[in-house]
Amino acid sequence: MFSRITSLVLVLALVVAGFWGYREHKEKQALLLKAENQYQRAFHDLSDHMNRIQDELGKSLAVNSQKQLTPALTETWRMASEARNDIGQLPLSLMPLNKTMEFISDVGNYSYHVAVRDENKQALNEQEWQTLQKLYTRSKEIENQLAELQTAVITKNLRWMDAETALAQTDKKTDNQIVDGFRSMEKTVEQQKPLSFGPTMDRMKVNSKLDAKTLTGNDVTPEQAAGIIQRWRGLDSTKNIAVKRNGKGELYPSYSIAYTAPDGHKEFFTMTVKGGNITWYANERPVANESIDLAQGETFAVNWLQAHGIEASAVVKTETFDNVGVYEVVGMKNGVRIYPDEVTVEVALDTGEVVGLNAQDYVFHHKQNRSVPQVKVSKEKAQTMVSSKVQVQESNLALVLNDAKQEELTYEFVGTMDQDTFKIYISALDGDEVGVEKVR
Amino acid sequence: MKRWKVWTAALSVALASLCIYAEPIRDLPQGHDASVFTTRTLVRGSQGIDVRELQGRLKFLGYYKGTIDGSYGYGTYWAVRNFQNKFGMKVDGKVGAQTRTRLVRATKGYNPYNPPKQTAGGSGSKTGGNSGNSTRAASYGGKSLSANDLKLLANAVYGEARGEPHVGQVAIAAVIMNRIDNPNFPNTVPGVIFQPGAFTAVADGQIWLTPNENARKAVREALNGADPSTGAIYYFNPATATSKWIWSRPQIKRIGRHIFCR
C-alpha cells in the first residue's frame, strides 16, 4: 500500500520534472537561436556592406565629375564604417583580423579624403584613380570570399555559435568553416602589397610605434634610470626603486619603474630608454582635503614644470577631481602656443605637490630650438574667415597639428555661439580653416 | 491626562516646525546676502557648491544662461567676464575677493531657495570636490565622450579588474581607450566594450556590478592621458586565459595579475 503511494508520487515528480526540464530546454534553445540570429544578421550585413563598398568604388572610377564623384565616395566611406561596425558585432575578437580591418578603415579614410578635398571641383587625378582602382579590385577579392562563405553558411546551415566555441578552444586545432573562411580572407589581405595613399594619408594612419629617433641623448641603463628617478624625486638612495625593461610590444623602447615610499604608498614611472625622459608619472599617495585653490595650484604646476626643465608654460585647460587639480599645459614660444609640446600635470591641492605627469606628447614633439614660421595673414584678415555666426571672444597664435599630423601655424579663435564655446583654428599662412573644436 | 497628551503633541509639532524653519536660517544668517562663497579663487575647471552659488547669482543678474551644475566651464567663464567688464573690474574670468564682493553686493535680492530653478540642496559647509552623483561628459583625443560613456567605462573597469591594484585598473581603462583609436576595433565606447568575446566581465555579467569610486577614478585618469600599459590593446590573465592566440601577441609588461600586450 505504502509503496504504491510512493511510486505514484515518484512518477508524478518525474513527470513534473520532465516537463520542467523540457520547458527549460525550449527556453534555452530560443535564447540560443536569438543570439545566433544576431550573429547571422551582423555577418550577412557585413557581406552586404562589402558588396556596396565595391559597387560605390566602381562608380567612383567610372564618373567624370566631382558632382557625381562625391556621393559615390561618401557612400563608400559610410559603408566602410558600417562594415567595421558589423565586424565589431561578430565573435571574432579572439581572431587576428587586423589586416582586413585595416584595409576596410583605409578604404573609408581614403574615400573620405578624396571626397572632401576641394581642388577646383575636379574629378580624380591619375594617382587617385590608380589608388581607388586598387582598392576596388582588392575589395572585390574580399567580397568574393565573403560571398562564398555566405553561401556555405546558408546551404550547410553553419552556425556562428559553433564558430564562437571553436575560437574559444585552447589546444585543439580548430576545424570550423566559418573560422577558416575568415582566416583565409585575412591571409589574402596579408599577402597583398601594402598600398601607398600619398604622403598626406600615410601620415594620417595610426602609428603603432612612436619614433624614438626624434629623441636626443644616449640610451640609459636600468641603473642609470634608477639614478634619474632618485634625482628627479629628490630621494636619498635608489633603494626601493624597481626598474623593468618593457617587452617588445611597447610603443617605444621604455622602462617601467616603481618606487615604494617609506610610508608604503607607491609611485610609478615610464621612462624612454633613449635619453632617459620621463613620459608618465603617477603618485598614488592619498590626497587630503584641499587647502590650495585651483588658481594657486596652477602656479605650483607651472613652477614645478620650470624646475624640472620642461618648457611648457601656457595653461590651456584646468580641471579638478577629488582634491587634485589637473592642468593641461602647452609650450610657449615668442607668444605662440605650441600645442604639440603638451603636458598634463596633476597637483594635489592639499600641499601643492605634483602627483601626476603625462608628458609623452611633449617628449616626442619638443624640439630644442624650434623655429616658428612668420605670420603671412593678419589677425583681422583671419578673423573674417571665422563664421559670422560665431562671436570671437579671445584669440591667440597657436602652432597645432593638422589632420595630416603636421605642424601648422594658426590663429586660435575662442568664440561663442549661443551657450556653446568653440575653438576655431585658422591658418596664419593662407587663411584656411584648419580645425574646429567644441569646448566645455 | 488627555490634555497633557495634546499639549506634548502640540509642543513637539511646534518644535519640529521650528527646527525645519531654523534650517535655512542657519545657512543664511543675515537675510539673503550671506552666501556659501568660500574664500578660494574660482577659475575655469573649479567644482563645488560655491560655483553653484556663483552661477546662481550670475543667472539672477542675467549674465549666465546655462544650467546651475556647480562646474565652472566656458559658459560661466564668459558670464564672469561680462560681469567684470560691466562693473569696471579687471576682466580675467577669475572670481577672487573683489569680484565676489561686487557680485554679492549686486545681487541683493538673490535667494538661493527661490532661484531661477534648480539650486544646491543644503549643507553649506561642503566646499570643494565633486558633488558626487553627477558625472560630467569628457573629451578624449578630440572625441567627446558622454557622461554615460564614462559610467559604462567605470562598470567595465570594475567588472574586469576590481581586485587589481589601482594602476592595473587605470591600465584596463587605457586599453579600452587605445582600442577606440585602433582601426581594428569599433570606434565607440559601447562598441569596444560589448564586442562579443572581448571582455569576460561582459560575458559573465560582472559588468553590471555597481562600480566603486576607485574604478571611476581610474577612468578619469585614463581619459586625462594616463596609460600605465604604454599602448597595449590586449591584456589577459595568464592563470585563466583560454586562448592560445593571446600568448602569441607581443607582450609589454605585467601589472598585478594581468599581462598587457599589443
Side-chain angles (χ1 to χ4, degrees):
Chain A
M1 198 62 185
F2 174 73
S3 67
R4 194 186 270 179
I5 293 176
T6 325
S7 47
L8 206 75
V9 169
L10 271 177
V11 166
L12 209 72
L14 207 70
V15 168
V16 170
F19 184 69
W20 177 81
Y22 174 70
R23 246 189 43 187
E24 285 293 292
H25 172 75
K26 275 199 85 165
E27 265 173 35
K28 192 187 151 210
Q29 288 303 315
L31 277 177
L32 281 177
L33 197 62
K34 224 176 188 174
E36 172 67 28
N37 289 346
Q38 274 175 7
Y39 286 154
Q40 290 286 351
R41 178 189 169 183
F43 170 63
H44 294 297
D45 265 352
L46 172 65
S47 179
D48 243 32
H49 290 140
M50 285 307 294
N51 201 9
R52 290 278 301 280
I53 285 179
Q54 196 227 338
D55 279 356
E56 296 295 330
L57 277 175
K59 277 196 217 165
S60 74
L61 293 172
V63 297
N64 200 25
S65 70
Q66 181 84 17
K67 203 172 141 205
Q68 293 299 317
L69 182 67
T70 306
L73 287 175
T74 45
E75 190 68 5
T76 311
W77 171 52
R78 197 170 72 89
M79 286 301 132
S81 152
E82 290 277 346
R84 185 179 170 185
N85 186 23
D86 295 331
I87 294 179
Q89 289 179 43
L90 290 171
L92 298 169
S93 56
L94 288 174
M95 195 169 139
L97 215 56
N98 302 4
K99 292 289 167 198
T100 313
M101 288 293 265
E102 200 181 321
F103 174 78
I104 292 172
S105 112
D106 281 347
V107 167
N109 288 342
Y110 188 71
S111 47
Y112 174 77
H113 175 72
V114 177
V116 300
R117 72 169 170 120
D118 178 32
E119 278 159 29
N120 312 324
K121 303 257 178 246
Q122 272 206 3
L124 300 169
N125 63 32
E126 189 54 30
Q127 198 212 343
E128 286 167 341
W129 196 88
Q130 292 293 344
T131 312
L132 281 173
Q133 206 264 334
K134 274 188 207 127
L135 290 177
Y136 175 61
T137 39
R138 289 186 184 190
S139 66
K140 205 174 197 167
E141 271 175 67
I142 294 185
E143 166 52 19
N144 284 346
Q145 291 198 352
L146 264 179
E148 223 171 90
L149 186 58
Q150 206 182 1
T151 319
V153 166
I154 294 169
T155 51
K156 296 185 192 156
N157 269 328
L158 299 178
R159 296 197 316 159
W160 268 92
M161 296 301 244
D162 296 336
E164 194 175 10
T165 354
L167 272 170
Q169 253 158 12
T170 25
D171 16 69
K172 248 203 317 195
K173 218 175 165 315
T174 53
D175 179 30
N176 181 290
Q177 254 184 297
I178 295 181
V179 174
D180 292 346
F182 273 89
R183 287 230 167 101
S184 77
M185 187 169 93
E186 173 74 6
K187 204 161 247 163
T188 320
V189 186
E190 218 177 299
Q191 280 160 358
Q192 289 160 345
K193 228 170 47 186
L195 281 173
S196 168
F197 296 98
T200 323
M201 264 290 290
D202 284 344
R203 263 196 305 273
M204 276 165 77
K205 288 180 80 167
V206 179
N207 282 323
S208 56
K209 300 264 176 194
L210 284 171
D211 192 3
K213 271 191 268 180
T214 58
L215 303 175
T216 54
N218 297 323
D219 286 6
V220 295
T221 63
E223 293 72 38
Q224 287 170 330
I228 292 172
I229 296 298
Q230 183 205 340
R231 282 192 298 280
W232 204 73
R233 291 288 293 121
L235 306 171
D236 300 331
S237 72
T238 56
K239 213 177 72 182
N240 298 328
I241 298 178
V243 182
K244 219 168 167 194
R245 182 74 173 79
N246 286 332
K248 61 178 188 262
E250 63 198 348
L251 269 178
Y252 45 89
S254 57
Y255 292 115
S256 284
I257 303 165
Y259 163 67
T260 314
D263 67 358
H265 83 258
K266 291 205 163 177
E267 299 183 12
F268 299 93
F269 309 82
T270 304
M271 187 190 283
T272 60
V273 170
K274 192 177 178 191
N277 297 295
I278 293 163
T279 50
W280 178 66
Y281 163 53
N283 183 338
E284 284 193 347
R285 80 161 167 87
V287 179
N289 276 341
E290 73 169 61
S291 59
I292 295 165
D293 64 42
L294 208 55
Q296 290 165 312
E298 184 175 318
T299 326
F300 279 93
V302 172
N303 289 348
W304 183 90
L305 286 172
Q306 205 178 9
H308 285 77
I310 297 173
E311 293 173 352
S313 57
V315 178
V316 291
K317 195 173 157 198
T318 319
E319 276 182 306
T320 171
F321 301 115
D322 312 316
N323 301 321
V324 173
V326 184
Y327 303 91
E328 206 179 297
V329 193
V330 300
M332 193 73 169
K333 182 140 195 185
N334 308 335
V336 180
R337 290 178 171 188
I338 314 290
Y339 272 90
D341 292 4
E342 187 234 299
V343 290
T344 311
V345 188
E346 294 182 10
V347 176
L349 296 176
D350 52 354
T351 59
E353 187 192 5
V354 167
V355 291
L357 171 75
N358 182 26
Q360 190 173 296
D361 283 342
Y362 177 86
V363 167
F364 281 91
H365 286 117
H366 182 67
K367 294 188 192 109
Q368 207 57 52
N369 292 306
R370 183 192 292 278
S371 63
V372 177
Q374 282 293 315
V375 170
K376 287 200 185 124
V377 177
S378 73
K379 197 189 108 186
E380 288 68 32
K381 181 86 198 304
Q383 192 162 339
T384 58
M385 307 301 283
V386 177
S387 160
S388 58
K389 301 282 190 301
V390 174
Q391 283 183 305
V392 174
Q393 310 275 3
E394 275 175 25
S395 64
N396 302 291
L397 270 173
L399 195 73
V400 298
L401 290 178
N402 61 15
D403 282 345
K405 303 233 167 100
Q406 282 205 306
E407 291 180 357
E408 191 158 352
L409 183 67
T410 61
Y411 289 100
E412 174 189 57
F413 292 106
V414 186
T416 52
M417 202 173 67
D418 292 333
Q419 252 77 268
D420 297 325
T421 304
F422 297 88
K423 280 185 175 174
I424 295 155
Y425 296 92
I426 306 285
S427 167
L429 301 179
D430 54 17
D432 263 0
E433 221 168 14
V434 175
V436 55
E437 182 189 3
K438 188 179 168 192
V439 289
R440 287 168 217 277
Chain B
M1 202 59 180
K2 224 175 183 176
R3 235 167 100 188
W4 181 80
K5 255 186 183 164
V6 170
W7 272 110
T8 23
L11 206 72
S12 49
V13 166
L15 215 73
S17 51
L18 206 72
C19 285
I20 292 163
Y21 189 62
E23 189 69 47
I25 293 185
R26 208 181 55 211
D27 276 350
L28 303 166
Q30 293 116 29
H32 297 312
D33 281 358
S35 65
V36 295
F37 268 150
T38 45
T39 48
R40 63 174 189 166
T41 307
L42 299 176
V43 290
R44 219 163 55 218
S46 289
Q47 297 258 320
I49 195 158
D50 41 0
V51 180
R52 278 175 182 272
E53 169 95 24
L54 171 71
Q55 291 170 332
R57 286 181 186 265
L58 287 169
K59 198 163 191 167
F60 181 75
L61 292 178
Y63 289 98
Y64 181 66
K65 292 183 185 71
T67 50
I68 295 171
D69 55 3
S71 81
Y72 196 131
Y74 263 102
T76 318
Y77 176 72
W78 302 125
V80 169
R81 286 180 67 111
N82 285 341
F83 174 79
Q84 289 172 329
N85 184 31
K86 198 80 170 213
F87 282 72
M89 281 175 283
K90 190 181 159 219
V91 182
D92 58 0
K94 291 182 182 171
V95 182
Q98 197 200 10
T99 310
R100 196 160 45 230
T101 340
R102 295 290 285 273
L103 183 60
V104 171
R105 218 184 294 152
T107 48
K108 275 263 180 328
Y110 172 70
N111 177 358
Y113 296 93
N114 185 18
K117 97 180 169 232
Q118 45 159 309
T119 26
S123 82
S125 58
K126 195 183 173 201
T127 49
N130 207 332
S131 38
N133 51 6
S134 69
T135 319
R136 284 182 305 148
S139 61
Y140 166 78
K143 296 183 193 75
S144 65
L145 303 184
S146 75
N148 286 327
D149 279 345
L150 301 190
K151 282 183 183 149
L152 259 182
L153 275 167
N155 271 46
V157 168
Y158 187 72
E160 282 281 312
R162 64 186 169 283
E164 292 292 303
H166 184 68
V167 259
Q169 300 191 13
V170 181
I172 302 264
V175 166
I176 299 177
M177 303 321 292
N178 290 343
R179 285 191 178 186
I180 293 173
D181 290 341
N182 193 300
N184 299 346
F185 292 91
N187 54 0
T188 60
V189 172
V192 166
I193 290 178
F194 290 108
Q195 189 177 18
F199 295 102
T200 42
V202 175
D204 64 15
Q206 292 195 58
I207 187 173
W208 300 118
L209 297 170
T210 311
N212 61 4
E213 193 46 47
N214 209 7
R216 279 188 274 266
K217 203 169 157 228
V219 168
R220 285 197 298 260
E221 284 173 24
L223 282 173
N224 280 330
D227 183 2
S229 76
T230 40
I233 49 172
Y234 297 100
Y235 63 86
F236 63 100
N237 184 340
T240 58
T242 50
S243 154
K244 228 176 189 163
W245 172 74
I246 198 83
W247 281 98
S248 70
R249 308 297 311 166
Q251 298 184 0
I252 301 172
K253 68 197 280 192
R254 188 183 177 125
I255 304 175
R257 278 198 298 265
H258 290 130
I259 292 178
F260 290 82
C261 44
R262 283 191 70 82

